[in-house]
mmCIF file of all heavy atoms in Angstrom:
data_model
loop_
_atom_site.group_PDB
_atom_site.id
_atom_site.type_symbol
_atom_site.label_atom_id
_atom_site.label_comp_id
_atom_site.label_asym_id
_atom_site.label_seq_id
_atom_site.Cartn_x
_atom_site.Cartn_y
_atom_site.Cartn_z
ATOM 1 N N MET A 1 -25.264 7.643 -2.080
ATOM 2 C CA MET A 1 -23.830 7.952 -2.020
ATOM 3 C C MET A 1 -23.093 7.177 -3.102
ATOM 4 O O MET A 1 -23.484 6.092 -3.486
ATOM 5 C CB MET A 1 -23.274 7.550 -0.646
ATOM 6 C CG MET A 1 -23.786 8.381 0.525
ATOM 7 S SD MET A 1 -22.823 8.097 2.016
ATOM 8 C CE MET A 1 -23.141 6.350 2.300
ATOM 9 N N ASN A 2 -21.989 7.763 -3.597
ATOM 10 C CA ASN A 2 -21.190 7.067 -4.589
ATOM 11 C C ASN A 2 -19.997 6.363 -3.938
ATOM 12 O O ASN A 2 -19.791 6.423 -2.719
ATOM 13 C CB ASN A 2 -20.741 8.019 -5.696
ATOM 14 C CG ASN A 2 -19.791 9.096 -5.215
ATOM 15 O OD1 ASN A 2 -18.999 8.894 -4.302
ATOM 16 N ND2 ASN A 2 -19.864 10.257 -5.829
ATOM 17 N N TYR A 3 -19.192 5.705 -4.782
ATOM 18 C CA TYR A 3 -18.103 4.868 -4.282
ATOM 19 C C TYR A 3 -17.160 5.635 -3.358
ATOM 20 O O TYR A 3 -16.789 5.142 -2.279
ATOM 21 C CB TYR A 3 -17.315 4.292 -5.456
ATOM 22 C CG TYR A 3 -16.091 3.524 -5.043
ATOM 23 C CD1 TYR A 3 -16.197 2.209 -4.605
ATOM 24 C CD2 TYR A 3 -14.829 4.110 -5.074
ATOM 25 C CE1 TYR A 3 -15.077 1.491 -4.212
ATOM 26 C CE2 TYR A 3 -13.698 3.410 -4.683
ATOM 27 C CZ TYR A 3 -13.836 2.101 -4.256
ATOM 28 O OH TYR A 3 -12.717 1.392 -3.844
ATOM 29 N N CYS A 4 -16.741 6.830 -3.739
ATOM 30 C CA CYS A 4 -15.765 7.584 -2.955
ATOM 31 C C CYS A 4 -16.313 7.990 -1.586
ATOM 32 O O CYS A 4 -15.544 8.202 -0.635
ATOM 33 C CB CYS A 4 -15.309 8.824 -3.720
ATOM 34 S SG CYS A 4 -14.424 8.467 -5.251
ATOM 35 N N GLN A 5 -17.625 8.101 -1.460
ATOM 36 C CA GLN A 5 -18.225 8.427 -0.173
ATOM 37 C C GLN A 5 -18.367 7.204 0.722
ATOM 38 O O GLN A 5 -18.409 7.333 1.947
ATOM 39 C CB GLN A 5 -19.616 9.037 -0.389
ATOM 40 C CG GLN A 5 -19.633 10.394 -1.056
ATOM 41 C CD GLN A 5 -21.057 10.822 -1.363
ATOM 42 O OE1 GLN A 5 -21.592 10.501 -2.428
ATOM 43 N NE2 GLN A 5 -21.672 11.530 -0.446
ATOM 44 N N LYS A 6 -18.450 6.052 0.113
ATOM 45 C CA LYS A 6 -18.743 4.829 0.874
ATOM 46 C C LYS A 6 -17.493 4.160 1.454
ATOM 47 O O LYS A 6 -17.591 3.411 2.418
ATOM 48 C CB LYS A 6 -19.475 3.822 -0.010
ATOM 49 C CG LYS A 6 -20.819 4.289 -0.525
ATOM 50 C CD LYS A 6 -21.406 3.244 -1.461
ATOM 51 C CE LYS A 6 -22.633 3.743 -2.174
ATOM 52 N NZ LYS A 6 -23.145 2.748 -3.152
ATOM 53 N N ILE A 7 -16.337 4.399 0.844
ATOM 54 C CA ILE A 7 -15.115 3.737 1.299
ATOM 55 C C ILE A 7 -14.499 4.522 2.453
ATOM 56 O O ILE A 7 -14.456 5.756 2.425
ATOM 57 C CB ILE A 7 -14.105 3.569 0.142
ATOM 58 C CG1 ILE A 7 -12.957 2.673 0.536
ATOM 59 C CG2 ILE A 7 -13.643 4.889 -0.409
ATOM 60 C CD1 ILE A 7 -13.263 1.214 0.437
ATOM 61 N N ASN A 8 -14.101 3.831 3.506
ATOM 62 C CA ASN A 8 -13.550 4.465 4.701
ATOM 63 C C ASN A 8 -12.193 3.859 5.069
ATOM 64 O O ASN A 8 -11.924 2.700 4.750
ATOM 65 C CB ASN A 8 -14.503 4.291 5.896
ATOM 66 C CG ASN A 8 -15.789 5.052 5.723
ATOM 67 O OD1 ASN A 8 -15.786 6.199 5.315
ATOM 68 N ND2 ASN A 8 -16.905 4.392 6.022
ATOM 69 N N TYR A 9 -11.383 4.656 5.768
ATOM 70 C CA TYR A 9 -10.054 4.221 6.166
ATOM 71 C C TYR A 9 -9.813 4.627 7.615
ATOM 72 O O TYR A 9 -10.142 5.734 8.020
ATOM 73 C CB TYR A 9 -8.989 4.871 5.274
ATOM 74 C CG TYR A 9 -9.210 4.603 3.806
ATOM 75 C CD1 TYR A 9 -9.973 5.479 3.018
ATOM 76 C CD2 TYR A 9 -8.688 3.466 3.198
ATOM 77 C CE1 TYR A 9 -10.190 5.230 1.672
ATOM 78 C CE2 TYR A 9 -8.910 3.207 1.852
ATOM 79 C CZ TYR A 9 -9.653 4.087 1.104
ATOM 80 O OH TYR A 9 -9.878 3.833 -0.238
ATOM 81 N N GLU A 34 -20.116 -1.580 9.171
ATOM 82 C CA GLU A 34 -19.466 -1.450 7.871
ATOM 83 C C GLU A 34 -18.911 -2.798 7.418
ATOM 84 O O GLU A 34 -18.602 -3.665 8.234
ATOM 85 C CB GLU A 34 -18.330 -0.423 7.950
ATOM 86 C CG GLU A 34 -18.814 0.976 8.322
ATOM 87 C CD GLU A 34 -17.685 1.984 8.464
ATOM 88 O OE1 GLU A 34 -16.527 1.616 8.149
ATOM 89 O OE2 GLU A 34 -17.946 3.114 8.888
ATOM 90 N N SER A 35 -18.796 -2.958 6.106
ATOM 91 C CA SER A 35 -18.205 -4.177 5.547
ATOM 92 C C SER A 35 -16.695 -3.970 5.451
ATOM 93 O O SER A 35 -16.231 -3.035 4.809
ATOM 94 C CB SER A 35 -18.785 -4.454 4.166
ATOM 95 O OG SER A 35 -20.185 -4.678 4.229
ATOM 96 N N VAL A 37 -13.153 -4.613 4.031
ATOM 97 C CA VAL A 37 -12.628 -5.136 2.777
ATOM 98 C C VAL A 37 -11.114 -5.372 2.814
ATOM 99 O O VAL A 37 -10.582 -6.142 2.011
ATOM 100 C CB VAL A 37 -12.992 -4.239 1.589
ATOM 101 C CG1 VAL A 37 -14.500 -4.191 1.394
ATOM 102 C CG2 VAL A 37 -12.431 -2.830 1.746
ATOM 103 N N HIS A 90 -9.586 -0.874 5.849
ATOM 104 C CA HIS A 90 -10.356 -0.286 4.748
ATOM 105 C C HIS A 90 -11.747 -0.919 4.822
ATOM 106 O O HIS A 90 -11.891 -2.143 4.765
ATOM 107 C CB HIS A 90 -9.721 -0.616 3.397
ATOM 108 C CG HIS A 90 -8.308 -0.127 3.251
ATOM 109 N ND1 HIS A 90 -7.633 -0.159 2.047
ATOM 110 C CD2 HIS A 90 -7.438 0.417 4.148
ATOM 111 C CE1 HIS A 90 -6.413 0.329 2.216
ATOM 112 N NE2 HIS A 90 -6.276 0.672 3.490
ATOM 113 N N SER A 91 -12.742 -0.076 4.979
ATOM 114 C CA SER A 91 -14.115 -0.581 5.142
ATOM 115 C C SER A 91 -15.051 0.144 4.179
ATOM 116 O O SER A 91 -14.689 1.153 3.571
ATOM 117 C CB SER A 91 -14.590 -0.405 6.574
ATOM 118 O OG SER A 91 -14.553 0.963 6.972
ATOM 119 N N TYR A 92 -16.274 -0.394 4.070
ATOM 120 C CA TYR A 92 -17.206 0.096 3.047
ATOM 121 C C TYR A 92 -18.611 0.103 3.639
ATOM 122 O O TYR A 92 -19.021 -0.825 4.332
ATOM 123 C CB TYR A 92 -17.143 -0.845 1.835
ATOM 124 C CG TYR A 92 -17.818 -0.325 0.590
ATOM 125 C CD1 TYR A 92 -17.205 0.620 -0.217
ATOM 126 C CD2 TYR A 92 -19.082 -0.778 0.226
ATOM 127 C CE1 TYR A 92 -17.823 1.086 -1.382
ATOM 128 C CE2 TYR A 92 -19.706 -0.330 -0.929
ATOM 129 C CZ TYR A 92 -19.070 0.619 -1.728
ATOM 130 O OH TYR A 92 -19.684 1.075 -2.861
ATOM 131 N N ARG A 93 -19.332 1.201 3.358
ATOM 132 C CA ARG A 93 -20.731 1.315 3.799
ATOM 133 C C ARG A 93 -21.639 1.037 2.611
ATOM 134 O O ARG A 93 -21.923 1.943 1.828
ATOM 135 C CB ARG A 93 -21.000 2.720 4.355
ATOM 136 C CG ARG A 93 -20.263 3.047 5.638
ATOM 137 C CD ARG A 93 -20.807 4.315 6.284
ATOM 138 N NE ARG A 93 -20.730 5.465 5.406
ATOM 139 C CZ ARG A 93 -19.719 6.311 5.342
ATOM 140 N NH1 ARG A 93 -18.679 6.134 6.120
ATOM 141 N NH2 ARG A 93 -19.740 7.342 4.519
ATOM 142 N N PRO A 94 -22.070 -0.202 2.444
ATOM 143 C CA PRO A 94 -22.873 -0.527 1.251
ATOM 144 C C PRO A 94 -24.288 -0.010 1.352
ATOM 145 O O PRO A 94 -24.823 0.219 2.441
ATOM 146 C CB PRO A 94 -22.851 -2.070 1.252
ATOM 147 C CG PRO A 94 -22.723 -2.433 2.693
ATOM 148 C CD PRO A 94 -21.875 -1.359 3.311
ATOM 149 N N ASP A 95 -24.898 0.183 0.200
ATOM 150 C CA ASP A 95 -26.334 0.451 0.156
ATOM 151 C C ASP A 95 -26.980 -0.570 -0.762
ATOM 152 O O ASP A 95 -26.353 -1.556 -1.168
ATOM 153 C CB ASP A 95 -26.628 1.893 -0.242
ATOM 154 C CG ASP A 95 -26.030 2.287 -1.594
ATOM 155 O OD1 ASP A 95 -25.846 1.389 -2.442
ATOM 156 O OD2 ASP A 95 -25.741 3.472 -1.801
ATOM 157 N N ALA A 96 -28.221 -0.340 -1.125
ATOM 158 C CA ALA A 96 -28.988 -1.354 -1.857
ATOM 159 C C ALA A 96 -28.387 -1.682 -3.217
ATOM 160 O O ALA A 96 -28.592 -2.792 -3.740
ATOM 161 C CB ALA A 96 -30.435 -0.898 -2.016
ATOM 162 N N GLU A 97 -27.645 -0.751 -3.827
ATOM 163 C CA GLU A 97 -27.093 -0.998 -5.159
ATOM 164 C C GLU A 97 -25.834 -1.849 -5.132
ATOM 165 O O GLU A 97 -25.383 -2.340 -6.182
ATOM 166 C CB GLU A 97 -26.795 0.311 -5.871
ATOM 167 C CG GLU A 97 -25.543 1.025 -5.373
ATOM 168 C CD GLU A 97 -25.065 2.121 -6.322
ATOM 169 O OE1 GLU A 97 -25.767 2.417 -7.285
ATOM 170 O OE2 GLU A 97 -23.989 2.665 -6.063
ATOM 171 N N ASP A 98 -25.224 -2.025 -3.970
ATOM 172 C CA ASP A 98 -23.943 -2.718 -3.880
ATOM 173 C C ASP A 98 -24.113 -4.223 -3.713
ATOM 174 O O ASP A 98 -24.979 -4.694 -2.960
ATOM 175 C CB ASP A 98 -23.138 -2.199 -2.689
ATOM 176 C CG ASP A 98 -22.675 -0.770 -2.881
ATOM 177 O OD1 ASP A 98 -21.927 -0.519 -3.847
ATOM 178 O OD2 ASP A 98 -23.064 0.084 -2.069
ATOM 179 N N ARG A 99 -23.260 -4.955 -4.383
ATOM 180 C CA ARG A 99 -23.131 -6.395 -4.183
ATOM 181 C C ARG A 99 -21.715 -6.670 -3.740
ATOM 182 O O ARG A 99 -20.758 -6.366 -4.454
ATOM 183 C CB ARG A 99 -23.448 -7.148 -5.478
ATOM 184 C CG ARG A 99 -23.271 -8.658 -5.384
ATOM 185 C CD ARG A 99 -23.754 -9.335 -6.673
ATOM 186 N NE ARG A 99 -23.523 -10.768 -6.633
ATOM 187 C CZ ARG A 99 -22.512 -11.379 -7.261
ATOM 188 N NH1 ARG A 99 -21.650 -10.659 -7.978
ATOM 189 N NH2 ARG A 99 -22.370 -12.705 -7.187
ATOM 190 N N ILE A 100 -21.539 -7.236 -2.553
ATOM 191 C CA ILE A 100 -20.214 -7.525 -2.009
ATOM 192 C C ILE A 100 -20.022 -9.037 -1.983
ATOM 193 O O ILE A 100 -20.851 -9.766 -1.435
ATOM 194 C CB ILE A 100 -20.037 -6.934 -0.604
ATOM 195 C CG1 ILE A 100 -20.247 -5.415 -0.651
ATOM 196 C CG2 ILE A 100 -18.644 -7.248 -0.066
ATOM 197 C CD1 ILE A 100 -20.077 -4.724 0.690
ATOM 198 N N ILE A 113 -16.511 -5.762 -4.958
ATOM 199 C CA ILE A 113 -17.682 -4.900 -4.826
ATOM 200 C C ILE A 113 -18.160 -4.568 -6.226
ATOM 201 O O ILE A 113 -17.375 -4.131 -7.074
ATOM 202 C CB ILE A 113 -17.358 -3.613 -4.043
ATOM 203 C CG1 ILE A 113 -16.975 -3.943 -2.600
ATOM 204 C CG2 ILE A 113 -18.570 -2.663 -4.054
ATOM 205 C CD1 ILE A 113 -16.565 -2.743 -1.782
ATOM 206 N N GLU A 114 -19.444 -4.742 -6.463
ATOM 207 C CA GLU A 114 -20.048 -4.417 -7.744
ATOM 208 C C GLU A 114 -21.220 -3.475 -7.527
ATOM 209 O O GLU A 114 -22.056 -3.707 -6.652
ATOM 210 C CB GLU A 114 -20.519 -5.694 -8.456
ATOM 211 C CG GLU A 114 -19.394 -6.672 -8.734
ATOM 212 C CD GLU A 114 -19.895 -7.964 -9.386
ATOM 213 O OE1 GLU A 114 -21.133 -8.097 -9.543
ATOM 214 O OE2 GLU A 114 -19.063 -8.802 -9.738
ATOM 215 N N ASN A 115 -21.260 -2.405 -8.308
ATOM 216 C CA ASN A 115 -22.373 -1.466 -8.247
ATOM 217 C C ASN A 115 -22.479 -0.727 -9.585
ATOM 218 O O ASN A 115 -21.797 -1.092 -10.549
ATOM 219 C CB ASN A 115 -22.222 -0.487 -7.058
ATOM 220 C CG ASN A 115 -20.884 0.254 -7.092
ATOM 221 O OD1 ASN A 115 -20.378 0.600 -8.149
ATOM 222 N ND2 ASN A 115 -20.315 0.500 -5.916
ATOM 223 N N ARG A 116 -23.292 0.295 -9.652
ATOM 224 C CA ARG A 116 -23.496 0.986 -10.924
ATOM 225 C C ARG A 116 -22.209 1.669 -11.416
ATOM 226 O O ARG A 116 -22.063 1.918 -12.612
ATOM 227 C CB ARG A 116 -24.603 2.028 -10.774
ATOM 228 C CG ARG A 116 -24.226 3.233 -9.930
ATOM 229 C CD ARG A 116 -25.212 4.370 -10.054
ATOM 230 N NE ARG A 116 -24.721 5.572 -9.379
ATOM 231 C CZ ARG A 116 -23.905 6.451 -9.933
ATOM 232 N NH1 ARG A 116 -23.474 6.268 -11.173
ATOM 233 N NH2 ARG A 116 -23.493 7.500 -9.264
ATOM 234 N N SER A 117 -21.274 1.959 -10.508
ATOM 235 C CA SER A 117 -20.030 2.637 -10.908
ATOM 236 C C SER A 117 -19.025 1.685 -11.533
ATOM 237 O O SER A 117 -18.177 2.105 -12.323
ATOM 238 C CB SER A 117 -19.388 3.322 -9.698
ATOM 239 O OG SER A 117 -20.236 4.332 -9.189
ATOM 240 N N SER A 268 -15.703 10.027 -8.863
ATOM 241 C CA SER A 268 -17.034 9.412 -8.917
ATOM 242 C C SER A 268 -18.057 10.501 -8.632
ATOM 243 O O SER A 268 -18.195 10.946 -7.493
ATOM 244 C CB SER A 268 -17.157 8.270 -7.910
ATOM 245 O OG SER A 268 -18.383 7.585 -8.060
ATOM 246 N N TRP A 271 -17.265 13.582 -6.255
ATOM 247 C CA TRP A 271 -16.283 13.190 -5.246
ATOM 248 C C TRP A 271 -15.020 12.666 -5.912
ATOM 249 O O TRP A 271 -15.064 12.090 -6.998
ATOM 250 C CB TRP A 271 -16.854 12.131 -4.308
ATOM 251 C CG TRP A 271 -17.842 12.692 -3.333
ATOM 252 C CD1 TRP A 271 -19.158 12.984 -3.572
ATOM 253 C CD2 TRP A 271 -17.592 13.039 -1.976
ATOM 254 N NE1 TRP A 271 -19.744 13.494 -2.440
ATOM 255 C CE2 TRP A 271 -18.802 13.540 -1.433
ATOM 256 C CE3 TRP A 271 -16.482 12.970 -1.134
ATOM 257 C CZ2 TRP A 271 -18.922 13.954 -0.117
ATOM 258 C CZ3 TRP A 271 -16.591 13.401 0.170
ATOM 259 C CH2 TRP A 271 -17.807 13.889 0.672
ATOM 260 N N LEU A 273 -11.256 10.540 -4.855
ATOM 261 C CA LEU A 273 -10.398 9.828 -3.906
ATOM 262 C C LEU A 273 -9.015 9.751 -4.530
ATOM 263 O O LEU A 273 -8.879 9.348 -5.690
ATOM 264 C CB LEU A 273 -10.956 8.433 -3.634
ATOM 265 C CG LEU A 273 -10.226 7.547 -2.623
ATOM 266 C CD1 LEU A 273 -11.212 6.606 -1.954
ATOM 267 C CD2 LEU A 273 -9.112 6.727 -3.277
ATOM 268 N N VAL A 363 -9.320 12.612 0.166
ATOM 269 C CA VAL A 363 -10.670 12.676 -0.413
ATOM 270 C C VAL A 363 -11.101 14.128 -0.509
ATOM 271 O O VAL A 363 -10.738 14.966 0.331
ATOM 272 C CB VAL A 363 -11.680 11.882 0.436
ATOM 273 C CG1 VAL A 363 -13.101 12.058 -0.093
ATOM 274 C CG2 VAL A 363 -11.309 10.410 0.483
#
Side-chain angles (χ1 to χ4, degrees):
M1 292 192 298
N2 66 32
Y3 174 81
C4 296
Q5 293 173 272
K6 298 176 189 176
I7 190 81
N8 292 315
Y9 304 91
E34 298 177 7
S35 298
V37 296
H90 301 189
S91 59
Y92 193 79
R93 293 192 302 269
D95 57 28
E97 76 165 7
D98 292 299
R99 177 174 177 259
I100 302 181
I113 295 177
E114 300 178 355
N115 56 35
R116 71 167 188 85
S117 297
S268 186
W271 286 80
L273 182 151
V363 175

